[in-house]
Amino acid sequence: MTTDPLLLTGEVADSAARLLDTAAGLDAAAVAAPSLLPGWSRGHVLTHLARNADGLVNLLTSARTGEDIPMYESAVARDADIAAGAGRPPAELLADLRHSTDRFTEALAAMPTSAWSAIVQARRGPWPVALVLWARWRELEVHHVDLATGYRPADWPAAFAPHLLHEVAGGLAERPDAPALVLRPTDGNRPELVLGDAQDAPQVAGSCAALAAWLIGRSSGDGLTVTPDGALPTPPEWI
């Protein structure tokens, strides 16, 4: 359950390679087809992943040089870049994703140990640069599912799903719009995660991947069980 960048580098590289393999198999019709994200084609998802890599390179560069470099020029510019790039031919989308992945890898290699303690300006404000590797891993794995090419939450790496589940559950525990829940992972010897008041709260059990996918809206909750018997609660939108 670490966010140590030195320990996550290999995981991120493996996830990027899997995603690039999937992207390499998409033709023009496939990249234009809808993704699992409302209003976004697969081309939107691939472009977003490329621009996300570039944004994280900005944060790494900021940490390394001490310059005040934001992740994106602005939210408007970020959205415009994704919209502008989404309709490109498959070869251009793939080349862009490969090149941005390479830039990210190079930026990681250039980071001195001392720079990993820096605070940088991410999309939602000041942020420890040490979380960059985890953020990239999360983007790669969640959006690989969003491409709707057969890669599912059940395919997530063994170390990824528990990490995502803990992060999402921790965020929901701080939100007033989240229902009270007791989450019971069934894979491995993992503790329950409690959201809100545990007394009389429904218990939802399943694998870490199934629980996390449900909480972030990538699953309807198939494979989960509720105690006492009844409908699954509705988690708020993941942000």
Side-chain angles (χ1 to χ4, degrees):
M1 303 297 293
T2 181
T3 56
D4 187 329
L6 296 179
L7 298 180
L8 292 185
T9 302
E11 297 278 11
V12 172
D14 290 346
S15 293
R18 284 192 295 273
L19 181 79
L20 285 166
D21 283 345
T22 294
L26 301 178
D27 60 17
V31 297
S35 72
L36 296 184
L37 296 175
W40 271 20
S41 68
R42 291 187 178 116
H44 283 88
V45 175
L46 295 174
T47 302
H48 163 62
L49 283 165
R51 300 291 74 76
N52 171 261
D54 288 343
L56 294 176
V57 168
N58 286 339
L59 298 186
L60 292 169
T61 304
S62 178
R64 179 173 56 82
T65 65
E67 297 179 52
D68 185 12
I69 306 172
M71 185 172 182
Y72 299 108
E73 179 183 340
S74 68
V76 171
R78 168 190 175 271
D79 293 346
D81 284 344
I82 294 170
R88 291 172 294 171
E92 290 186 24
L93 288 165
L94 180 60
D96 185 18
L97 186 58
R98 280 180 172 153
H99 293 155
S100 62
T101 298
D102 289 344
R103 288 191 293 270
F104 181 75
T105 301
E106 291 165 3
L108 286 177
M111 284 284 285
T113 301
S114 60
W116 286 111
S117 62
I119 301 297
V120 292
Q121 289 298 318
R123 287 184 62 198
R124 295 185 175 91
W127 199 57
V129 77
L131 294 178
V132 159
L133 263 293
W134 163 245
R136 184 59 178 170
W137 197 20
R138 183 183 58 213
E139 291 291 301
L140 289 166
E141 288 297 329
V142 171
H143 288 315
H144 199 163
V145 171
D146 290 335
L147 287 175
T149 55
Y151 191 79
R152 304 162 302 158
D155 299 316
W156 283 337
F160 175 78
H163 199 147
L164 179 63
L165 176 60
H166 276 254
E167 179 185 67
V168 174
L172 289 176
E174 300 175 355
R175 292 178 56 174
D177 57 343
L181 291 172
V182 177
L183 303 172
R184 297 181 57 201
T186 56
D187 46 342
N189 185 22
R190 303 188 184 280
E192 295 179 344
L193 300 171
V194 178
L195 281 65
D197 186 356
Q199 185 174 1
D200 299 325
Q203 297 184 6
V204 181
S207 69
C208 289
L211 288 167
W214 169 61
L215 290 176
I216 66 172
R218 267 61 178 187
S219 164
S220 62
D222 292 346
L224 300 178
T225 59
V226 184
T227 306
D229 190 32
L232 279 169
T234 301
E237 182 180 4
W238 183 47
I239 54 176

mmCIF file of all heavy atoms in Angstrom, residues 14 17 39 46-47 54 57 66 75 77 109 118 126 129 180 188 200 202 220:
data_model
loop_
_atom_site.group_PDB
_atom_site.id
_atom_site.type_symbol
_atom_site.label_atom_id
_atom_site.label_comp_id
_atom_site.label_asym_id
_atom_site.label_seq_id
_atom_site.Cartn_x
_atom_site.Cartn_y
_atom_site.Cartn_z
ATOM 1 N N ASP A 14 4.899 -1.198 -16.345
ATOM 2 C CA ASP A 14 4.162 -2.366 -16.818
ATOM 3 C C ASP A 14 2.752 -1.983 -17.272
ATOM 4 O O ASP A 14 2.263 -2.463 -18.305
ATOM 5 C CB ASP A 14 4.071 -3.422 -15.719
ATOM 6 C CG ASP A 14 5.414 -4.090 -15.431
ATOM 7 O OD1 ASP A 14 6.345 -3.946 -16.247
ATOM 8 O OD2 ASP A 14 5.525 -4.744 -14.379
ATOM 9 N N ALA A 17 2.895 -0.208 -20.602
ATOM 10 C CA ALA A 17 3.141 -1.141 -21.711
ATOM 11 C C ALA A 17 1.865 -1.877 -22.098
ATOM 12 O O ALA A 17 1.586 -2.063 -23.294
ATOM 13 C CB ALA A 17 4.231 -2.134 -21.309
ATOM 14 N N GLY A 39 -19.773 10.848 -23.275
ATOM 15 C CA GLY A 39 -19.356 11.927 -24.147
ATOM 16 C C GLY A 39 -17.947 11.806 -24.675
ATOM 17 O O GLY A 39 -17.520 12.656 -25.467
ATOM 18 N N LEU A 46 -7.481 8.252 -24.913
ATOM 19 C CA LEU A 46 -6.061 8.152 -25.249
ATOM 20 C C LEU A 46 -5.384 9.518 -25.221
ATOM 21 O O LEU A 46 -4.251 9.661 -24.739
ATOM 22 C CB LEU A 46 -5.895 7.501 -26.619
ATOM 23 C CG LEU A 46 -6.343 6.037 -26.715
ATOM 24 C CD1 LEU A 46 -6.269 5.554 -28.160
ATOM 25 C CD2 LEU A 46 -5.518 5.138 -25.804
ATOM 26 N N THR A 47 -6.074 10.532 -25.741
ATOM 27 C CA THR A 47 -5.502 11.884 -25.710
ATOM 28 C C THR A 47 -5.375 12.385 -24.277
ATOM 29 O O THR A 47 -4.364 13.011 -23.908
ATOM 30 C CB THR A 47 -6.370 12.847 -26.535
ATOM 31 O OG1 THR A 47 -6.475 12.361 -27.879
ATOM 32 C CG2 THR A 47 -5.777 14.244 -26.568
ATOM 33 N N ASP A 54 1.997 14.476 -19.808
ATOM 34 C CA ASP A 54 2.690 15.755 -19.955
ATOM 35 C C ASP A 54 2.485 16.644 -18.735
ATOM 36 O O ASP A 54 3.411 17.345 -18.287
ATOM 37 C CB ASP A 54 2.194 16.483 -21.205
ATOM 38 C CG ASP A 54 2.687 15.839 -22.492
ATOM 39 O OD1 ASP A 54 3.645 15.045 -22.441
ATOM 40 O OD2 ASP A 54 2.098 16.126 -23.555
ATOM 41 N N VAL A 57 4.698 15.433 -16.058
ATOM 42 C CA VAL A 57 6.075 15.861 -16.357
ATOM 43 C C VAL A 57 6.280 17.293 -15.876
ATOM 44 O O VAL A 57 7.339 17.629 -15.316
ATOM 45 C CB VAL A 57 6.371 15.739 -17.863
ATOM 46 C CG1 VAL A 57 7.675 16.462 -18.222
ATOM 47 C CG2 VAL A 57 6.468 14.277 -18.269
ATOM 48 N N GLY A 66 12.628 23.721 -9.048
ATOM 49 C CA GLY A 66 12.171 24.760 -8.138
ATOM 50 C C GLY A 66 11.326 25.825 -8.800
ATOM 51 O O GLY A 66 10.868 26.761 -8.138
ATOM 52 N N ALA A 75 -7.680 24.795 -16.641
ATOM 53 C CA ALA A 75 -8.662 23.733 -16.866
ATOM 54 C C ALA A 75 -9.250 23.834 -18.266
ATOM 55 O O ALA A 75 -9.497 22.818 -18.933
ATOM 56 C CB ALA A 75 -9.764 23.817 -15.815
ATOM 57 N N ALA A 77 -7.761 25.067 -20.976
ATOM 58 C CA ALA A 77 -6.756 24.617 -21.940
ATOM 59 C C ALA A 77 -6.636 23.098 -21.933
ATOM 60 O O ALA A 77 -6.480 22.470 -22.995
ATOM 61 C CB ALA A 77 -5.415 25.252 -21.621
ATOM 62 N N ALA A 109 13.516 9.705 -14.445
ATOM 63 C CA ALA A 109 14.941 9.388 -14.339
ATOM 64 C C ALA A 109 15.762 10.603 -13.953
ATOM 65 O O ALA A 109 16.838 10.468 -13.344
ATOM 66 C CB ALA A 109 15.437 8.816 -15.666
ATOM 67 N N ALA A 118 9.310 17.743 -2.546
ATOM 68 C CA ALA A 118 8.733 19.026 -2.957
ATOM 69 C C ALA A 118 7.207 18.985 -2.960
ATOM 70 O O ALA A 118 6.575 17.927 -3.107
ATOM 71 C CB ALA A 118 9.237 19.410 -4.348
ATOM 72 N N PRO A 126 -1.976 22.649 -4.045
ATOM 73 C CA PRO A 126 -0.683 22.116 -3.624
ATOM 74 C C PRO A 126 -0.752 20.613 -3.354
ATOM 75 O O PRO A 126 -1.747 20.119 -2.796
ATOM 76 C CB PRO A 126 -0.378 22.903 -2.345
ATOM 77 C CG PRO A 126 -1.177 24.161 -2.474
ATOM 78 C CD PRO A 126 -2.431 23.769 -3.188
ATOM 79 N N VAL A 129 4.777 15.968 -4.575
ATOM 80 C CA VAL A 129 5.193 15.389 -5.849
ATOM 81 C C VAL A 129 5.434 13.882 -5.723
ATOM 82 O O VAL A 129 5.377 13.147 -6.719
ATOM 83 C CB VAL A 129 6.442 16.109 -6.391
ATOM 84 C CG1 VAL A 129 7.703 15.654 -5.649
ATOM 85 C CG2 VAL A 129 6.603 15.875 -7.888
ATOM 86 N N ALA A 180 -23.455 5.586 4.634
ATOM 87 C CA ALA A 180 -22.723 4.809 5.625
ATOM 88 C C ALA A 180 -22.565 3.389 5.096
ATOM 89 O O ALA A 180 -23.522 2.772 4.618
ATOM 90 C CB ALA A 180 -23.463 4.816 6.954
ATOM 91 N N GLY A 188 -7.553 -11.925 0.493
ATOM 92 C CA GLY A 188 -6.474 -11.618 1.413
ATOM 93 C C GLY A 188 -7.013 -11.293 2.802
ATOM 94 O O GLY A 188 -8.219 -11.139 3.021
ATOM 95 N N ASP A 200 -25.719 -0.211 12.130
ATOM 96 C CA ASP A 200 -26.838 -0.396 11.202
ATOM 97 C C ASP A 200 -26.459 -0.123 9.744
ATOM 98 O O ASP A 200 -27.335 -0.131 8.864
ATOM 99 C CB ASP A 200 -28.034 0.498 11.578
ATOM 100 C CG ASP A 200 -28.575 0.187 12.960
ATOM 101 O OD1 ASP A 200 -28.549 -1.003 13.339
ATOM 102 O OD2 ASP A 200 -28.991 1.127 13.664
ATOM 103 N N PRO A 202 -25.116 -1.002 6.056
ATOM 104 C CA PRO A 202 -24.998 -2.250 5.309
ATOM 105 C C PRO A 202 -23.538 -2.642 5.125
ATOM 106 O O PRO A 202 -22.669 -1.782 4.995
ATOM 107 C CB PRO A 202 -25.662 -1.929 3.969
ATOM 108 C CG PRO A 202 -25.582 -0.442 3.847
ATOM 109 C CD PRO A 202 -25.666 0.098 5.239
ATOM 110 N N SER A 220 -21.464 -1.940 -11.896
ATOM 111 C CA SER A 220 -22.772 -1.820 -11.249
ATOM 112 C C SER A 220 -22.816 -2.548 -9.917
ATOM 113 O O SER A 220 -23.824 -2.482 -9.203
ATOM 114 C CB SER A 220 -23.860 -2.390 -12.169
ATOM 115 O OG SER A 220 -23.619 -3.771 -12.411
#
